Amino acid sequence: MSPGAVALCLLLMQTGVYGFGTELNLEFNNDFPCKKAGSQKHEDITQRAILNTTLQACHALALADGKDFSFPPQPFTAESVAAACPGSKSSKRFHQTIKFIQRMNRLVDSSHVSDPEYHFDNEKFAEGRRIITGGLAIVKASNKEMNFEAAREKLGEITHPLQDFYSHSNWVELGNTLPNTNLIRSGTSIGNMADLSRATCRNCDGDDCTNNILEDLEQERILTSGYFGFSKPEGKCSHGGFLDKSKEIEPKGGINKDEMDSEHGHLHTEAANVAVAATSDLLEDIRGAAGDRTFLQMMGISGKALCFVIDTTGSMSDDIAAVRTVTSSIINSKVGTEDEPSVYILVPFNDPDFGPLTRTTDPNIFKNAINSLSATGGGDFAEMSLSGLQLALTGAPPNSEIFLFTDAAAKDTHLRSTVIALIERTKTVVNCMISDVPIYRGRRQIGNDHHQQQQQQRQRRSVSSYVQLYRDLAQTSGGQTIEVTKSELSEAVTIITESSSSSLVTLLQAARSPGKAENFIFTVDESLKNLTVHITGRSVAFTIISPSGVSQQSTDTAGSLITASQTVGNFKNLKLKTEVGLWEMKLVSTNPYTLKVIGKSPIDFLFDFLEASEGSFGSFDVIDHRPRAGVKGTLLLTVTGIISATVTEVILVESSGSGNVNGKVRDVGGGDFLVQFNRIPSEEFVVLMRGQNINSSSRSSGTFQRQSSSSIKASTVTVTAADTNRVFAPGETLSVPFSVKTSGAGGTFTIQATNDRGFTSTFPSSLVLDTGGSANGTVTLTAPVTTTSGTDVTLTIEAESPGGTDTNYLVLRLSVLKTVTDFTAPMCKLPSLQSNCTENCSMSTWKLSVQVTDGANGTGIDRVSLRQGNGTMNTSLAAGNDNITLVSYTASCCSPDVELLVVDGVGNVGTCSYSVPQTPTDNSHQPTAIPAGSLSTKAVQSFLLCLGITILGLNLPFEMGIN
């Protein structure tokens, strides 16, 4: 049975069917936004397909690793799938990935509302397919380069037209219950499409449109889709719905199945089912091209990233040695466990260089990269630390934790706002490990003459200002700035080992500069383990009070609340006795300090601010930039790691401690909550959430508290970009139009545009805005001809108000892709299949030899792997012919089937299946190559029957060549 058949069965087994409603439809009722009722969403179709395909990948990976795997109960959820998959302790990243892909799907309706090819309207079948296959090429190329954010963005975009095909065309009306898999493959037949002059519809009978498609289309198996807008060719069907004016033109009515009450809403459930299966086919093709491990990384089923940004100038030898030690410790203790890092990232920097970025899933490759670092050079006191940090922020997954090691100032301080924008956008934590600063880079000895003593005093005075930059970055991100001597560094880096857990959550975080006496409270719930307090600052006294009233002061080393403590430099690490309930912590200091309370728990949250959409649907979109300051705001919050939770409070806590803004919370289902605020603070703030586990044994133990790590800064400035092509080829120049708008005072606004690849770019250095006005500009980027296909480029556009009092930004992902001309899947030829199988299968073996080729004009074989089979496979290149890959396979006769998965250089996927005869033989077979994810009627029906499920009228798609 093919993997696609299994996937379809799982899809059909799930209770409830979702559908085609679009956008985040939020309408304000009684001052609260709520989801539009009665429609089934693109988002839910997408989620169902992701959950099923992810489970299949996790199942296959577990089997390949020899591990047990249990499918969770129906209906699948992000929590249950993440828990079932190996190597995933937290569902937060998986949730975040699903929501991002859903959002990219939803945005097609607002950004391409007038483009019929994005919806398969107006019989734009060939054009719609080009969007899907072109986007699919970008997804595969991005995955190959581990640029997962770019892959997710394009994946979400192409799932929308793919799903719309089944709602907007007559595919379902023709009796098809399986997807049209040729929609994801160029150079194949989509079907017999209606000519422009051919009539396709008649008038509906009043409000009854069940029979408005002409009968000859079904008889001749002709494809059509509805027209949308103000006009249509004579005799053509309309899309229908309240926004479509063409439905009033004869033939009147429509054929869309977007909702249950649409003109063809009686087929909404059937269309949604096939759309889910089609989305699964797309994901299976991507999975086959990427491989299971890479696919799961793209989906966010993985541990935390381990990311180092390291100064490599002469005085950093001790720091590099400390990093080597902690790297070995993490690799030795965590590889093979649930806390194994999902990806390892290293960015070195010095002056004038930074990079390259090393990104790998292989711990040995990472260890070798660390071991190859050497501390050399020096001279200038400042280094390219922010350039290295920018590269790491764009190369690491969102919600990562980065450790920056340096003993010098930043030379590239002009990137400060860019780095802060990337921190806010990715919600990444940055920890700065600052070791003591020698006067001359590369030297350890300081002379005693008067001139050198004066120079030393001047540089000591400068230390405070340069360290403050790192403190600001760390504070914005929710990280620590740990200031130590070289001899203390090894002890300080133990924080990295603790921070590598994927289930780490933040309960409370605060920073005070200047310091002051203040009381902080936080709630510990029953799910929390490893309760830890981090304090940075000099001469900070504290008192901890537990829920039971027991207290312990910083001077009391014999107390019962602190189970372990560590003090190194300005950093204090306290391990607390875990006790459920309300804790209090009193801090006293006149020096600046930070406080962070963390622990391990599956319960966490995601959030995004919303704004009114400029599309035609009057709804709301997630914003990518800072929210507007001083006005009402709306936040969409998702609780992760628990399905039995309610949110009781959401508070915007001003970072200075000067005030809070409480929100009104509404549960909109599925773990989502909409929160409305009367005012967005003008100063930096964090999001604090309190909730209740409704299945907890008691209210006190079920109450939980979580806080965002990174701070948010609101703005009266907005930066937006036109929705234009964001894909360009090596050697080409791409133009990105953008707009800057202010709700405050006008003047000359400073513009800065940076990209993480160092591509040559142009942009206006300033724009003049009237009060409350806007202005437009354009950024151009040129990709070098040597750029690798699949490279993503992160473009950050910033606008700063006159005087530098207010800034905002826009972060865009661009893709560089070589033109794809190879659309043919690899093929297999079987020279021999030999077996000595007997009735006692355990005592005999069989073997085969296969020649795999991608054709004379193909891109070559990239990978051959086993999709089914427990035998041993070896591959080699044919002597004298690099276009042929030789595959040998040997297995026990107790494992009589094998399926090879073959991927070429651009991600075209072929599968070749063979079965051993039950009697000894030496046979040759004709080649068998089946596109990954294709379904056969027999396979689907057989599998469904074995589960007691019967589907009537299961028909093959016409002219699709499915084997």
Side-chain angles (χ1 to χ4, degrees):
M1 184 184 309
S2 73
V6 178
L8 179 62
C9 177
L10 287 170
L11 292 169
L12 296 176
M13 286 170 62
Q14 291 195 58
T15 57
V17 180
Y18 304 91
F20 298 76
T22 53
E23 283 208 358
L24 187 62
N25 281 307
L26 307 173
E27 297 173 351
F28 280 98
N29 273 328
N30 299 322
D31 295 327
F32 287 99
C34 59
K35 285 186 179 179
K36 185 179 178 182
S39 61
Q40 301 177 0
K41 308 292 183 183
H42 273 283
E43 291 94 322
D44 302 307
I45 289 176
T46 303
Q47 176 163 306
R48 291 182 64 200
I50 288 174
L51 294 179
N52 281 279
T53 310
T54 301
L55 268 177
Q56 291 302 310
C58 290
H59 180 222
L61 195 57
L63 293 180
D65 292 341
K67 298 178 180 178
D68 294 332
F69 186 87
S70 298
F71 283 93
Q74 299 284 348
F76 301 147
T77 65
E79 278 77 17
S80 66
V81 170
C85 289
S88 178
K89 254 188 175 181
S90 170
S91 64
K92 182 175 181 178
R93 293 176 189 276
F94 189 35
H95 260 292
Q96 187 176 39
T97 297
I98 293 173
K99 286 193 170 294
F100 182 75
I101 294 171
Q102 288 173 322
R103 180 192 168 203
M104 292 301 106
N105 179 312
R106 185 171 64 244
L107 283 177
V108 171
D109 266 336
S110 57
S111 58
H112 295 286
V113 63
S114 301
D115 301 324
E117 60 272 19
Y118 276 87
H119 311 280
F120 279 96
D121 291 334
N122 299 14
E123 298 179 321
K124 296 285 187 179
F125 294 110
E127 296 86 346
R129 203 239 313 253
R130 276 198 293 271
I131 290 171
I132 295 169
T133 56
L136 185 56
I138 295 172
V139 173
K140 291 179 178 180
S142 297
N143 278 339
K144 194 171 183 179
E145 295 299 313
M146 298 182 68
N147 295 321
F148 299 125
E149 196 74 0
R152 296 173 189 131
E153 184 171 325
K154 187 56 65 173
L155 172 60
E157 180 181 301
I158 63 177
T159 55
H160 188 106
L162 178 67
Q163 294 160 3
D164 270 355
F165 172 82
Y166 301 98
S167 179
H168 297 174
S169 78
N170 65 328
W171 180 261
V172 174
E173 283 85 346
L174 291 173
N176 295 297
T177 55
L178 289 176
N180 186 337
T181 57
N182 284 346
L183 288 177
I184 64 173
R185 295 183 181 89
S186 296
T188 56
S189 173
I190 300 174
N192 296 321
M193 294 173 283
D195 293 333
L196 183 63
S197 60
R198 180 161 187 164
T200 55
C201 266
R202 64 169 64 90
N203 284 332
C204 294
D205 184 7
D207 293 332
D208 182 6
C209 292
T210 54
N211 294 308
N212 62 333
I213 298 179
L214 299 179
E215 289 80 4
D216 59 330
L217 269 68
E218 182 176 355
Q219 295 165 4
E220 299 177 39
R221 311 291 289 167
I222 301 296
L223 268 177
T224 187
S225 68
Y227 281 73
F228 185 93
F230 295 92
S231 63
K232 63 182 178 182
E234 185 177 354
K236 291 295 186 180
C237 303
S238 291
H239 173 279
F242 73 97
L243 289 175
D244 179 22
K245 302 304 180 184
S246 77
K247 70 176 183 179
E248 302 301 331
I249 303 171
E250 292 194 357
K252 296 182 178 181
I255 65 169
N256 87 83
K257 296 161 283 294
D258 288 344
E259 302 177 7
M260 297 292 289
D261 59 356
S262 296
E263 284 85 347
H264 276 212
H266 60 289
L267 294 173
H268 172 80
T269 297
E270 289 83 348
N273 262 332
V274 184
V276 177
T279 309
S280 290
D281 262 343
L282 176 73
L283 292 171
E284 281 290 344
D285 188 58
I286 294 168
R287 174 192 164 198
D292 287 333
R293 295 184 191 278
T294 301
F295 178 81
L296 291 178
Q297 277 193 283
M298 183 191 75
M299 285 300 160
I301 295 288
S302 55
K304 207 169 185 178
L306 181 63
C307 186
F308 294 148
V309 180
I310 303 177
D311 186 343
T312 59
T313 43
S315 59
M316 289 291 293
S317 57
D318 288 344
D319 306 62
I320 294 172
V323 172
R324 287 195 186 106
T325 300
V326 75
T327 299
S328 296
S329 173
I330 289 175
I331 289 173
N332 294 338
S333 64
K334 296 186 182 293
V335 169
T337 71
E338 289 182 330
D339 279 331
E340 178 179 357
S342 61
V343 63
Y344 301 87
I345 296 172
L346 173 65
V347 180
F349 67 89
N350 46 56
D351 179 29
D353 296 323
F354 63 95
L357 179 143
T358 298
R359 182 170 49 195
T360 179
T361 58
D362 188 331
N364 292 318
I365 293 176
F366 184 69
K367 187 185 291 187
N368 291 337
I370 295 288
N371 291 338
S372 67
L373 294 177
S374 60
T376 58
D380 289 346
F381 181 64
E383 314 298 343
M384 304 292 283
S385 56
L386 298 193
S387 295
L389 187 53
Q390 178 191 22
L391 193 57
L393 283 163
T394 57
N399 291 109
S400 290
E401 190 155 11
I402 295 174
F403 293 87
L404 182 146
F405 294 82
T406 190
D407 60 3
K411 189 172 187 176
D412 44 4
T413 54
H414 66 280
L415 290 175
R416 181 183 186 276
S417 58
T418 298
V419 168
I420 289 177
L422 292 171
I423 286 172
E424 291 182 8
R425 180 70 185 90
T426 62
K427 298 181 174 70
T428 293
V429 174
V430 176
N431 297 291
C432 300
M433 315 293 284
I434 312 297
S435 56
D436 53 11
V437 183
I439 298 305
Y440 295 109
R441 299 288 285 169
R443 294 185 179 181
R444 287 306 182 86
Q445 301 298 323
I446 304 299
N448 292 320
D449 62 82
H450 179 69
H451 173 72
Q452 287 192 353
Q453 288 178 357
Q454 285 184 324
Q455 189 174 25
Q456 185 176 1
Q457 289 173 356
R458 285 195 299 270
Q459 291 207 348
R460 280 177 175 170
R461 286 194 295 269
S462 71
V463 165
S464 176
S465 61
Y466 98 71
V467 171
Q468 189 60 46
L469 170 61
Y470 295 122
R471 289 173 183 158
D472 291 343
L473 296 178
Q475 180 179 327
T476 295
S477 73
Q480 311 290 320
T481 303
I482 301 178
E483 304 162 34
V484 293
T485 64
K486 295 288 185 183
S487 60
E488 295 172 321
L489 188 61
S490 293
E491 185 181 359
V493 296
T494 56
I495 182 179
I496 299 173
T497 305
E498 298 173 358
S499 299
S500 60
S501 171
S502 61
S503 59
L504 207 63
V505 298
T506 300
L507 277 68
L508 174 69
Q509 183 164 301
R512 297 294 180 261
S513 182
K516 62 178 180 178
E518 190 164 349
N519 293 3
F520 300 91
I521 59 171
F522 57 93
T523 300
V524 174
D525 61 277
E526 57 191 355
S527 75
L528 198 76
K529 299 177 181 178
N530 295 10
L531 181 60
T532 305
V533 174
H534 291 162
I535 300 173
T536 63
R538 306 286 181 176
S539 303
V540 181
F542 63 83
T543 301
I544 301 174
I545 304 173
S546 73
S548 58
V550 177
S551 65
Q552 183 173 349
Q553 297 182 350
S554 51
T555 55
D556 182 5
T557 58
S560 61
L561 298 183
I562 302 174
T563 60
S565 71
Q566 172 194 28
T567 301
V568 53
N570 71 328
F571 174 66
K572 189 177 293 291
N573 185 32
L574 308 175
K575 301 285 188 183
L576 301 187
K577 170 186 175 183
T578 301
E579 182 179 333
V580 173
L582 187 66
W583 287 71
E584 183 177 0
M585 191 151 190
K586 301 178 180 180
L587 269 65
V588 179
S589 180
T590 57
N591 297 316
Y593 63 80
T594 68
L595 167 68
K596 188 172 186 178
V597 182
I598 60 175
K600 292 183 180 181
S601 169
I603 303 175
D604 209 344
F605 74 106
L606 300 166
F607 69 92
D608 285 295
F609 283 93
L610 308 178
E611 66 180 2
S613 169
E614 295 183 0
S616 303
F617 296 93
S619 61
F620 287 76
D621 288 335
V622 172
I623 61 173
D624 289 328
H625 47 75
R626 289 172 170 169
R628 287 185 59 194
V631 299
K632 291 182 178 180
T634 303
L635 181 146
L636 177 65
L637 183 146
T638 303
V639 179
T640 65
I642 184 173
I643 59 175
S644 58
T646 183
V647 173
T648 55
E649 284 185 288
V650 179
I651 307 169
L652 306 182
V653 181
E654 296 181 359
S655 298
S656 66
S658 57
N660 301 330
V661 180
N662 291 287
K664 296 180 180 180
V665 183
R666 182 177 182 123
D667 186 346
V668 293
D672 290 338
F673 298 83
L674 282 160
V675 189
Q676 187 181 20
F677 299 95
N678 288 328
R679 174 181 63 87
I680 300 296
S682 297
E683 68 170 83
E684 275 193 356
F685 62 90
V686 294
V687 178
L688 177 65
M689 179 266 291
R690 294 190 178 101
Q692 180 74 31
N693 180 358
I694 59 179
N695 287 342
S696 177
S697 57
S698 68
R699 181 173 180 82
S700 59
S701 62
T703 300
F704 57 86
Q705 170 181 326
R706 301 291 184 269
Q707 183 185 295
S708 64
S709 294
S710 57
S711 300
I712 301 126
K713 183 81 164 65
S715 175
T716 60
V717 181
T718 58
V719 184
T720 56
D723 188 52
T724 56
N725 176 48
R726 294 177 188 171
V727 181
F728 57 130
E732 289 185 351
T733 296
L734 179 70
S735 295
V736 181
F738 69 93
S739 177
V740 178
K741 184 178 181 180
T742 179
S743 58
T748 300
F749 285 67
T750 301
I751 306 300
Q752 180 169 274
T754 60
N755 69 87
D756 62 333
R757 300 292 181 180
F759 287 2
T760 300
S761 67
T762 64
F763 57 91
S765 60
S766 63
L767 292 174
V768 178
L769 277 69
D770 295 330
T771 298
S774 63
N776 300 322
T778 299
V779 179
T780 65
L781 294 95
T782 302
V785 294
T786 56
T787 307
T788 302
S789 187
T791 297
D792 71 340
V793 187
T794 301
L795 173 64
T796 306
I797 305 173
E798 303 157 64
E800 183 180 280
S801 65
T805 57
D806 195 4
T807 62
N808 210 336
Y809 58 83
L810 178 67
V811 179
L812 299 175
R813 293 267 180 178
L814 315 174
S815 296
V816 181
L817 184 73
K818 292 181 180 178
T819 302
V820 176
T821 57
D822 178 9
F823 303 107
T824 304
M827 299 293 289
C828 301
K829 180 179 179 181
L830 181 65
S832 68
L833 187 156
Q834 300 174 339
S835 74
N836 296 307
C837 293
T838 64
E839 291 184 359
N840 187 357
C841 65
S842 62
M843 300 298 292
S844 53
T845 60
W846 66 283
K847 61 182 180 180
L848 58 77
S849 297
V850 179
Q851 293 180 355
V852 181
T853 180
D854 195 34
N857 298 318
T859 48
I861 301 301
D862 184 67
R863 189 179 77 254
V864 181
S865 59
L866 286 176
R867 194 163 210 177
Q868 181 182 354
N870 297 321
T872 302
M873 184 187 71
N874 292 296
T875 62
S876 63
L877 291 177
N881 192 341
D882 292 346
N883 292 327
I884 297 177
T885 298
L886 303 178
V887 181
S888 62
Y889 178 79
T890 303
S892 163
C893 289
C894 297
S895 179
D897 302 311
V898 64
E899 184 177 26
L900 305 179
L901 186 144
V902 188
V903 183
D904 68 13
V906 293
N908 293 312
V909 181
T911 57
C912 311
S913 303
Y914 305 98
S915 296
V916 64
Q918 297 304 305
T919 57
T921 187
D922 185 349
N923 293 327
S924 296
H925 292 260
Q926 295 298 316
T928 302
I930 305 173
S934 294
L935 308 175
S936 71
T937 303
K938 182 178 179 181
V940 175
Q941 288 177 328
S942 298
F943 189 62
L944 297 180
L945 285 171
C946 81
L947 295 169
I949 299 174
T950 302
I951 300 179
L952 299 178
L954 187 60
N955 297 322
L956 277 177
F958 51 82
E959 292 190 10
M960 293 173 60
I962 291 181
N963 296 312

